Amino acid sequence: MNKQTRRFLLFLCIIVAVALGIKKISVFSYKAKLMYSVKAKHEITDMDLLKGGELATFDGDRLVFYRGGAKDKKVVDRMGEGQKVFFGEKDAMLYDPNIKKLTVFTPDGRERQSYYVDGELFSAEVQRGVRILHCRYKDGEKLFIASDGGKMTSVFETKNYILDYRFDSAKQFVVTELSNTANGYETTVYVDDGQTDQARMENTEFPMEVAMRIVKTGYPVVVTEKHIYGIDDELKTQTTSIISDIVAHNGKIYTLHSGILSVYDGALNENKRYVMEANVDRLASMKQGLFAYGNREILGRPHTDRPYHIRFSAGQEKLFIKDGYIVAYQHKRIGVYKLKLDLFGKSSRIQEIKNED
């Protein structure tokens, strides 16, 4: 190995070390790089991004999985009227209300499992690997855990209305419900920390408030239209405006309301606020950092004094960020972008992305 080669390798190692160190403390910017784009035959009604950047779309009749563009896709054609689609972490689900059947499809277009529901399936999703079915009946509502073997196990039931739920595992979860009372209504929060008996769950009541979201940090955090509550050994309470989104990120809670990003510490004390210099109403927490975004604009590092800006062309109908990817949709055309580390980019510069990109 000659002297010039050694110098080059040393320089390369220094660049890599610096890049990894800066990336770890989240001071570098990211830019959106187009991976692929597709043009659908019909307007897309629902879509989501699965693990690994695989795109799943539904137009009311066809469920389509894209792995790398229009040439690499799998189509599930279901002409049943009124079918609904739900998305998991690595798959998609189609529900036929006429026969009350939920079918799970993998990205290769194959049927993985099916479930028959005796009530009305309101929602289906996967959280931390747990597939949850929310069913409604004439006399109440239930949450089921659906196993890969086709078994459905009821884990929560009520005669009231289930508002939201968060599962860490099949035996650890939080549920909020809304009930009528003599004086109006109230939200009840149930916390299951491993008990198999629903009657033994811890519960906390909030009269005349409606729970909107649940997030988990060191303890469950419940947001209503009036307050943020930390369900800990001692109840933590903060007054809040009606928020558009909330997320837990690196041990802190972030809320977005009227263009203001509020930061709460582990004790649920609000210690910082940032004015968003973009039209954003949602938040995303990923390994690339915290992001605030709307239907056209994205702010990276919004919780710092030097955020960076990604902006799509006017007319975008839908935009969402997940697992380091961006999906942009406008009139049957879908673009899938990956967030790439921008080693030498200027955070003050706005990355403009045109529709033809």
Side-chain angles (χ1 to χ4, degrees):
M1 184 182 295
N2 58 42
K3 188 174 183 180
Q4 186 175 1
T5 302
R6 287 198 301 268
R7 286 180 176 177
F8 174 77
L9 291 176
L10 178 61
F11 174 77
L12 184 62
C13 289
I14 292 173
I15 290 295
V16 172
V18 170
L20 290 176
I22 295 179
K23 182 177 179 181
K24 186 174 181 180
I25 60 176
S26 298
V27 298
F28 258 151
S29 303
Y30 287 81
K31 61 182 179 180
K33 182 177 180 181
L34 181 66
M35 295 182 60
Y36 61 88
S37 64
V38 296
K39 183 70 179 291
K41 292 183 178 181
H42 306 283
E43 290 289 351
I44 301 301
T45 58
D46 293 281
M47 71 178 76
D48 202 356
L49 205 62
L50 309 181
K51 290 290 187 182
E54 296 184 349
L55 178 68
T57 68
F58 186 64
D59 62 11
D61 291 323
R62 302 193 319 159
L63 174 65
V64 183
F65 296 93
Y66 296 96
R67 291 188 173 182
K71 294 182 179 180
D72 188 8
K73 69 178 182 180
K74 296 294 181 181
V75 179
V76 178
D77 204 337
R78 288 292 189 270
M79 299 300 291
E81 186 175 349
Q83 291 204 61
K84 298 179 180 180
V85 68
F86 304 99
F87 299 102
E89 294 172 336
K90 301 177 182 179
D91 51 41
M93 299 164 273
L94 284 180
Y95 175 63
D96 188 337
N98 296 315
I99 58 175
K100 297 185 179 298
K101 181 183 179 181
L102 179 71
T103 306
V104 181
F105 293 94
T106 58
D108 59 6
R110 297 182 181 181
E111 182 176 330
R112 177 183 178 184
Q113 189 54 263
S114 60
Y115 308 90
Y116 286 93
V117 181
D118 60 353
E120 174 194 352
L121 181 64
F122 179 70
S123 67
E125 61 180 291
V126 179
Q127 296 180 4
R128 299 289 184 93
V130 181
R131 194 178 306 276
I132 309 120
L133 309 186
H134 177 187
C135 298
R136 289 179 169 175
Y137 304 84
K138 292 182 179 179
D139 60 348
E141 303 186 8
K142 293 182 181 181
L143 292 179
F144 293 91
I145 290 180
S147 71
D148 290 340
K151 182 180 179 181
M152 293 174 54
T153 304
S154 175
V155 293
F156 185 87
E157 59 182 277
T158 178
K159 295 185 180 299
N160 303 310
Y161 304 97
I162 296 174
L163 298 172
D164 196 12
Y165 47 87
R166 285 294 176 271
F167 280 69
D168 286 332
S169 69
K171 294 184 178 180
Q172 293 184 316
F173 54 90
V174 182
V175 181
T176 56
E177 69 168 31
L178 183 68
S179 60
N180 295 318
T181 65
N183 297 321
Y185 56 89
E186 70 179 11
T187 286
T188 305
V189 183
Y190 293 91
V191 180
D192 191 332
D193 58 357
Q195 303 291 340
T196 56
D197 184 1
Q198 182 176 333
R200 298 174 62 187
M201 289 185 190
E202 297 180 11
N203 63 84
T204 308
E205 297 175 347
F206 303 118
M208 302 303 293
E209 295 188 56
V210 179
M212 301 166 63
R213 290 284 304 278
I214 305 169
V215 296
K216 294 290 294 292
T217 175
Y219 48 83
V221 175
V222 177
V223 180
T224 73
E225 76 280 21
K226 300 176 182 178
H227 298 94
I228 300 177
Y229 294 106
I231 313 298
D232 204 358
D233 294 335
E234 293 185 3
L235 183 66
K236 299 176 172 63
T237 306
Q238 289 288 346
T239 303
T240 183
S241 304
I242 295 179
I243 67 169
S244 61
D245 206 358
I246 181 171
V247 72
H249 180 72
N250 290 343
K252 295 182 179 180
I253 298 293
Y254 296 84
T255 66
L256 195 57
H257 54 96
S258 303
I260 303 295
L261 181 71
S262 294
V263 186
Y264 297 85
D265 60 21
L268 211 59
N269 296 313
E270 183 181 15
N271 50 31
K272 285 187 179 180
R273 285 189 174 191
Y274 297 91
V275 177
M276 300 292 94
E277 297 181 358
N279 188 11
V280 296
D281 58 5
R282 284 159 285 171
L283 297 169
S285 172
M286 305 181 294
K287 67 179 182 180
Q288 290 81 4
L290 181 69
F291 293 83
Y293 65 103
N295 282 342
R296 183 190 173 197
E297 298 179 277
I298 300 170
L299 288 179
R301 296 197 311 265
H303 56 313
T304 70
D305 295 326
R306 298 186 65 190
Y308 59 94
H309 200 160
I310 302 171
R311 183 164 60 203
F312 287 77
S313 298
Q316 287 294 138
E317 299 174 39
K318 188 174 183 179
L319 187 75
F320 64 89
I321 309 176
K322 187 177 181 181
D323 297 334
Y325 296 89
I326 302 170
V327 177
Y329 175 73
Q330 181 181 2
H331 188 53
K332 301 180 185 178
R333 183 172 294 280
I334 309 165
V336 178
Y337 300 78
K338 189 170 185 179
L339 288 168
K340 293 285 189 178
L341 190 63
D342 191 7
L343 292 174
F344 305 105
K346 296 180 180 180
S347 61
S348 59
R349 185 185 64 192
I350 299 176
Q351 182 187 4
E352 300 278 2
I353 300 178
K354 298 180 180 180
N355 293 335
E356 58 266 27
D357 289 347

